[in-house]
Amino acid sequence: MSLGNKTLATLPTGVERPRYDRSKLTAGIVHIGLGNFHRAHQAWYLHRLMQQGEALDWAIIGAGVRPGDAAMRDKLLEQDCLTTLIELDPSGTSAEVTGAMIDFLPVEEDNATLITTMTDPAIRIVSLTVTEGGYFLDGSGALDTSHGDIIHDATYPDAPRTAFGAIIAALKARRDRGLMPFTCQCCDNLQNNGEILRQVIIGLAELSAPDLADWINENAAFPNAMVDCIVPATGQAERDLVHKIGIDDAAPVTHENYRQWVIEDRFCAGRPPWENVGATLTQDVHAYESMKIRMLNAGHQVLANVGEILGLPTISSCMQDAQVSAFFSKVQTEEIAPYVDAVPDLSPQKYLALIEKRFANPAIRDTTRRVAFDGSSRHFGFVIPILQDAIEAKGSIVGLALVEAFWARMCAGLREDGSVIEPNDPHWTALTEAAVKARSNPGAWLEQSVFYAGVADDMAFKAAFDDWLTLIWRDGARAALDRYLAT
């Protein structure tokens, strides 16, 4: 059955569908970056509110700033911006059609329609999921003002290429018309993600309009948030699954049976009552962010790099491998959890047990390749900060050094069975060059100061890394796992 407004009433039995009148929804949010995660997470929370008769004036207008977003736009508009969500529980699957999104803007080089839409006073939140590596940060975590797109947006602020330039242009138009700003809400996996978004927006605005930057800084809001739900990429298996249920959806989304959203309650133009459907609104997100980013996101990198080297196809298969799962547990317990604070009703030890269960879910075919993607952002953002804390505390860093050695080995581009690891990072060429050099000179990997400034000079870390990478190349990943697990 084709998915669309006209077929909602006749969807297969057992498929939950919108109970609200979608024709009466009005927009309150523009979301930039309409990937699977947004539709399984933020859009789902809003859909749940609408199912209760709430937040009907907070519907989502989708947007994208990359040429590839146009393909997603075509798919979603063809089915009236509806999405089939399939929850993958080890005990079975369930399906739900969500309808909180009502439009998808055309993808334009100058973002003119996006800017006009965000200028509308009805839009009170502009949210983003543009990936951890999409914020134009340099090695020190500051805005990379040398990047070509940032230079373009600073030079031509009325015809910006980036989402951030478009946001600034819309905020300028609102200021000039005497309108209040909207809240800028980051939904990416970044520590202090709201503050990072503020830094990027203010930093870019200062390059062309310092007075506007001051106005945004004083009047707009950038709440921090922690988002959590494992959402695999959609491939043929996922499309086949939704067809088996009886729905023809060109862009279905599968997800685990777990969600968490912790939001700093700091909005300048109102917000939906997300707490009514399970989100946590708080004044302090930091502890939640730290626990999730350090244990789950960094934990993904602990698994994915060695998993790629060994040819383990999914995260659940990594957890089913006795050596790899023991490696994961030991690194988490001894070298990550000591630098994570408890949150209300959840200790690091309980959270570790929770994510071990989630990662082992065989119904979630979350590929090792997807999780290993963009390691240059994920190691820099998730793993190395823990390493810095461990070095400062004079704690154990042996396991973390092994994690980094596995990443260096993976970036050489070959698995141990001889198969090719296809390019899997925006900086793959540079990473591969460093990885090949590091085979005979492990220190060459740590010379990448954009990642390792501040830790490469620590003699204990450098010695452990050198030993691990030498052992991995000489005797293989499993020999390294054996040695580490025996310590």
Side-chain angles (χ1 to χ4, degrees):
M1 179 178 294
S2 296
L3 184 60
N5 286 331
K6 293 180 179 179
T7 62
L8 282 176
T10 54
L11 289 174
T13 302
V15 176
E16 183 70 25
R17 79 261 348 244
R19 298 189 295 271
Y20 44 90
D21 184 349
R22 296 188 77 228
S23 68
K24 295 182 179 178
L25 298 179
T26 57
I29 298 173
V30 168
H31 184 85
I32 303 171
L34 259 295
N36 283 11
F37 183 82
H38 163 74
R39 291 184 289 144
H41 195 266
Q42 183 194 21
W44 177 87
Y45 278 95
L46 191 58
H47 164 75
R48 284 290 176 166
L49 280 173
M50 292 174 173
Q51 293 286 62
Q52 299 176 175
E54 301 180 89
L56 301 180
D57 61 342
W58 284 100
I60 297 167
I61 294 177
V65 298
R66 301 173 304 174
D69 293 324
M72 179 62 77
R73 177 179 188 264
D74 291 343
K75 291 176 182 178
L76 290 176
L77 288 179
E78 182 68 23
Q79 56 197 47
D80 298 320
C81 296
L82 295 165
T83 290
T84 307
L85 297 182
I86 303 173
E87 183 177 281
L88 300 177
D89 189 293
S91 62
T93 62
S94 60
E96 176 177 19
V97 172
T98 66
M101 179 181 169
I102 59 174
D103 198 5
F104 200 134
L105 301 177
V107 180
E108 302 166 326
E109 187 173 354
D110 63 359
N111 291 304
T113 303
L114 173 57
I115 293 167
T116 299
T117 303
M118 292 190 293
T119 304
D120 185 337
I123 300 303
R124 288 151 285 165
I125 295 174
V126 172
S127 52
L128 304 93
T129 43
V130 295
T131 77
E132 297 86 0
Y135 286 81
F136 298 97
L137 304 179
D138 63 18
S140 68
L143 178 67
D144 182 3
T145 56
S146 67
H147 193 285
D149 287 343
I150 296 301
I151 293 171
H152 175 277
D153 284 8
T155 307
Y156 305 102
D158 296 328
R161 291 176 181 167
T162 72
F164 312 109
I167 288 171
I168 293 167
L171 288 170
K172 179 180 184 298
R174 290 173 77 116
R175 183 200 63 174
D176 293 348
R177 296 177 191 180
L179 302 173
M180 289 300 293
F182 44 73
T183 295
C184 301
Q185 186 176 27
C186 179
C187 298
D188 280 305
N189 283 313
L190 295 163
Q191 187 87 37
N192 297 317
N193 59 5
E195 288 305 311
I196 288 175
L197 179 55
R198 176 194 292 274
Q199 172 185 309
V200 172
I201 294 292
I202 300 302
L204 178 54
E206 285 177 339
L207 297 176
S208 60
D211 61 326
L212 176 61
D214 291 341
W215 182 84
I216 295 171
N217 197 39
E218 291 172 5
N219 294 282
F222 299 82
N224 292 304
M226 184 275 280
V227 296
D228 191 8
C229 184
I230 296 173
V231 184
T234 295
Q236 191 58 48
E238 288 71 28
R239 287 187 286 271
D240 290 344
L241 179 58
V242 77
H243 285 173
K244 184 177 180 181
I245 291 169
I247 302 174
D248 182 13
D249 186 333
V253 176
T254 59
H255 61 90
E256 67 170 329
N257 56 329
Y258 178 89
R259 285 184 183 85
Q260 189 179 21
W261 196 10
V262 183
I263 311 166
E264 184 181 16
D265 199 358
R266 180 157 56 98
F267 292 76
C268 63
R271 62 168 178 81
W274 286 301
E275 65 270 31
N276 292 351
V277 284
T280 299
L281 276 294
T282 180
Q283 294 302 313
D284 184 9
V285 177
H286 178 73
Y288 293 92
E289 284 181 318
S290 180
M291 176 177 282
K292 190 260 180 172
I293 286 174
R294 292 194 167 203
M295 299 191 74
L296 189 146
N297 295 109
H300 261 155
Q301 300 312 300
V302 173
L303 291 172
N305 300 147
V306 66
E308 271 283 61
I309 296 166
L310 295 173
L312 301 172
T314 65
I315 293 302
S316 62
S317 66
C318 290
M319 292 299 290
Q320 290 159 11
D321 184 287
Q323 277 186 308
V324 175
S325 62
F327 166 59
F328 174 81
S329 179
K330 184 176 174 67
V331 174
Q332 286 274 6
T333 301
E334 297 180 2
E335 300 189 18
I336 297 179
Y339 309 102
V340 174
D341 293 328
V343 300
D345 301 319
L346 191 62
S347 67
Q349 293 73 27
K350 288 183 179 179
Y351 189 62
L352 175 57
L354 173 63
I355 60 176
E356 286 178 327
K357 180 179 179 181
R358 292 168 62 193
F359 285 0
N361 181 353
I364 297 289
R365 288 197 55 81
D366 198 11
T367 65
T368 307
R369 175 175 174 79
R370 185 198 76 84
V371 173
F373 175 74
D374 197 11
S376 58
S377 292
R378 296 180 176 185
H379 279 261
F380 177 74
F382 304 151
V383 182
I384 294 174
I386 308 169
L387 182 57
Q388 290 170 329
D389 285 353
I391 290 171
E392 184 176 342
K394 301 188 185 308
S396 173
I397 47 82
V398 175
L400 292 170
L402 179 53
V403 171
E404 294 307 292
F406 281 137
W407 182 37
R409 169 64 182 83
M410 187 200 79
C411 288
L414 287 175
R415 299 181 182 89
E416 290 191 343
D417 64 6
S419 59
V420 174
I421 300 173
E422 297 295 337
N424 200 22
D425 191 286
H427 306 289
W428 186 255
T429 299
L431 290 170
T432 300
E433 289 176 357
V436 170
K437 291 178 182 177
R439 180 169 186 172
S440 57
N441 174 23
W445 181 260
L446 301 183
E447 289 172 3
Q448 298 178 100
S449 59
V450 67
F451 309 127
Y452 294 106
V455 299
D457 293 334
D458 182 80
M459 297 308 295
F461 169 66
K462 185 178 184 303
F465 176 87
D466 287 2
D467 287 347
W468 285 129
L469 190 57
T470 300
L471 176 61
I472 292 166
W473 276 115
R474 186 184 67 232
D475 298 335
R478 292 204 179 275
L481 290 171
D482 277 340
R483 180 185 293 183
Y484 174 66
L485 294 172
T487 60

